[in-house]
Amino acid sequence: MMNDTTEKIKSLSEAIKGDEAKLIHGTSNSGCLIVKPANAWIEEAKLRPIPKMLFGEFWFEGEVSVLFADTNVGKSILAVQIGDSISKGQHIEGFKLEVPPKKVAYLDFELSDKQFEKRYSDNYTNHYHFHDNFLRAEIDPEAELPKEFESVEEHLNHSFSSVIEDSGAEVLIIDNITFLKSDNERAKDALLIMKHLKQLNRAYGISILVLAHTPKRNSANPLTKNDLAGSKMLMNFCDSAFAIGESASEPDIRYLKQIKQRNTEKIYNDNNVVMTRIAQPLNFLKFEFIGFGNETEHLRKIEMNDIEDRDVRIHELKEKGLPNTEIAKELGISEGTVRNRLKKIA
């Protein structure tokens, strides 16, 4: 009986101490929310390091960032180049790097090992030598789905943690997000993916770069957050996002543009995009920095005939009963443009 009483007193004492600590620090839990005075948050944040640049102002340490572009524009080329830069602690010309060499895990769901070899060799000879900090992973085609997982996607998400823990990686690059779900344009799937990546980001303090694609778009329009497949959920959960655009006036030119940022001002906007060119001197396929320019210089110019053809097509689709949102998606234009053109046609 005495033991029971002693244990109860001990438990009560510990509970009181816990409550006292919460009162002292002003911390309380409201469901899934942690509530503290604003000053307490700031004091705790002061103990954490100031985020440093991994790829200029486009991607900072500790961020979950999204890089998106159309197919065959060069997402993977740039992503490997960024990973190589961070693994060596050497900046890419035109872009700042503020961290020492870090271990990078590149999850490649796009290329086979032979395709990867070709990109980083001189026609399969004189191969480029990556730093030992740069790790590459691909799917094991012979791996069976363990019983504890309901889907391949669930098993893959779990494998991310294993890669981080086993390798000690501080940077994770995923190429690309469309592999993780059969249809990442669905809001639910995009939300699950980003939630898992944010959990990894917080649990391990790891910096994550996710590659994604743009759905069919009108190359006459500037790049915006709406050009990212599954844009709303992906944009809500990422810390930063940037895009690669293909120049309509100079086909070998690629430009980079900030789409979302939290740790810096928007420097690379419509009026100040970074201009680059894809090149392969010797044995490394990469983006070469050229300078800066205006995005409008690289957009496809709409001729009068194009506008007339577009208006005819808008009218045809409307006659078929398609809503404005579907017409906009079909033609790669905004819903507002569809609405305005329909008013003028009427």
Side-chain angles (χ1 to χ4, degrees):
M1 188 72 176
M2 182 63 70
N3 287 339
D4 289 343
T5 304
T6 302
E7 285 300 320
K8 288 180 180 179
I9 293 173
K10 184 178 178 182
S11 297
L12 182 60
S13 177
E14 289 175 351
I16 291 172
K17 286 180 180 178
D19 288 338
E20 287 176 346
K22 288 181 179 180
L23 288 172
I24 292 170
H25 296 288
T27 304
S28 65
N29 286 72
S30 298
C32 63
L33 302 176
I34 302 173
V35 183
K36 304 178 189 179
N39 290 328
W41 285 108
I42 291 175
E43 289 302 315
E44 291 180 13
K46 283 162 61 176
L47 300 175
R48 286 187 283 277
I50 297 172
K52 296 179 179 179
M53 295 182 194
L54 296 175
F55 180 57
E57 290 82 3
F58 290 102
W59 183 26
F60 282 78
E61 192 176 23
E63 287 186 339
V64 174
S65 185
V66 174
L67 164 60
F68 65 95
D70 202 350
T71 306
N72 296 324
V73 171
K75 296 186 295 293
S76 300
I77 296 170
L78 181 58
V80 170
Q81 187 177 359
I82 293 172
D84 178 65
S85 163
I86 296 170
S87 71
K88 291 181 173 178
Q90 298 175 359
H91 79 283
I92 299 170
E93 183 182 357
F95 305 92
K96 295 178 183 177
L97 175 67
E98 298 180 329
V99 299
K102 288 180 175 291
K103 186 160 285 189
V104 178
Y106 190 95
L107 309 187
D108 193 346
F109 306 132
E110 286 289 307
L111 302 180
S112 67
D113 56 357
K114 206 65 184 175
Q115 291 168 332
F116 187 79
E117 177 198 5
K118 180 173 174 57
R119 284 191 175 183
Y120 303 103
S121 67
D122 181 6
N123 196 26
Y124 301 107
T125 63
N126 186 28
H127 296 76
Y128 180 77
H129 184 71
F130 286 91
H131 195 283
D132 289 344
N133 280 340
F134 190 95
L135 307 176
R136 178 180 176 273
E138 63 178 47
I139 290 291
D140 180 359
E142 298 181 0
E144 295 183 359
L145 182 66
K147 294 180 180 179
E148 61 266 29
F149 300 108
E150 295 183 0
S151 65
V152 174
E153 291 85 1
E154 187 180 335
H155 185 206
L156 190 59
N157 283 338
H158 176 77
S159 298
F160 291 165
S161 300
S162 299
V163 168
I164 295 168
E165 292 176 359
D166 294 344
S167 69
E170 300 171 88
V171 176
L172 187 67
I173 300 177
I174 301 173
D175 184 7
N176 67 58
I177 199 171
T178 56
F179 183 87
L180 306 184
K181 286 288 184 180
S182 57
D183 183 8
N184 77 297
E185 294 186 47
R186 288 168 49 196
K188 181 182 177 182
D189 287 347
L191 177 61
L192 292 174
I193 293 168
M194 293 308 293
K195 272 188 173 181
H196 184 75
L197 294 179
K198 287 298 288 185
Q199 287 171 356
L200 290 177
N201 168 249
R202 289 168 180 163
Y204 298 99
I206 193 167
S207 306
I208 302 175
L209 179 64
V210 183
L211 274 59
H213 77 281
T214 61
K216 183 179 178 182
R217 65 179 300 273
N218 189 336
S219 58
N221 295 333
L223 284 164
T224 70
K225 64 181 181 180
N226 295 325
D227 292 314
L228 172 61
S231 59
K232 186 173 182 180
M233 288 300 176
L234 293 176
M235 279 296 171
N236 285 347
F237 277 84
C238 71
D239 300 301
S240 62
F242 58 106
I244 305 173
E246 187 173 16
S247 176
S249 57
E250 300 178 73
D252 63 330
I253 298 294
R254 303 288 187 271
Y255 66 88
L256 306 183
K257 179 181 179 181
Q258 282 176 299
I259 304 298
K260 178 181 178 180
Q261 61 289 318
R262 284 179 175 165
N263 284 308
T264 182
E265 295 178 6
K266 191 170 187 177
I267 299 171
Y268 305 113
N269 52 32
D270 300 13
N271 300 317
N272 186 42
V273 295
V274 179
M275 296 169 57
T276 64
R277 178 181 285 109
I278 296 178
Q280 188 171 13
L282 296 177
N283 54 10
F284 191 82
L285 191 61
K286 64 179 183 178
F287 277 51
E288 287 186 340
F289 174 77
I290 297 175
F292 305 95
N294 193 303
E295 186 177 16
T296 56
E297 300 169 5
H298 304 285
L299 300 178
R300 183 175 63 85
K301 304 299 185 290
I302 300 179
E303 303 294 337
M304 183 56 67
N305 288 340
D306 293 335
I307 296 175
E308 292 175 355
D309 291 343
R310 182 194 63 186
D311 288 352
V312 169
R313 186 65 180 146
I314 289 174
H315 186 264
E316 289 176 348
L317 294 173
K318 196 64 179 179
E319 286 290 306
K320 290 181 179 179
L322 268 68
N324 291 357
T325 51
E326 287 298 318
I327 296 174
K329 187 175 181 180
E330 173 73 20
L331 300 180
I333 58 180
S334 70
E335 191 272 335
T337 298
V338 174
R339 188 170 58 251
N340 291 335
R341 300 311 298 175
L342 285 171
K343 287 180 181 178
K344 291 187 178 182
I345 293 171

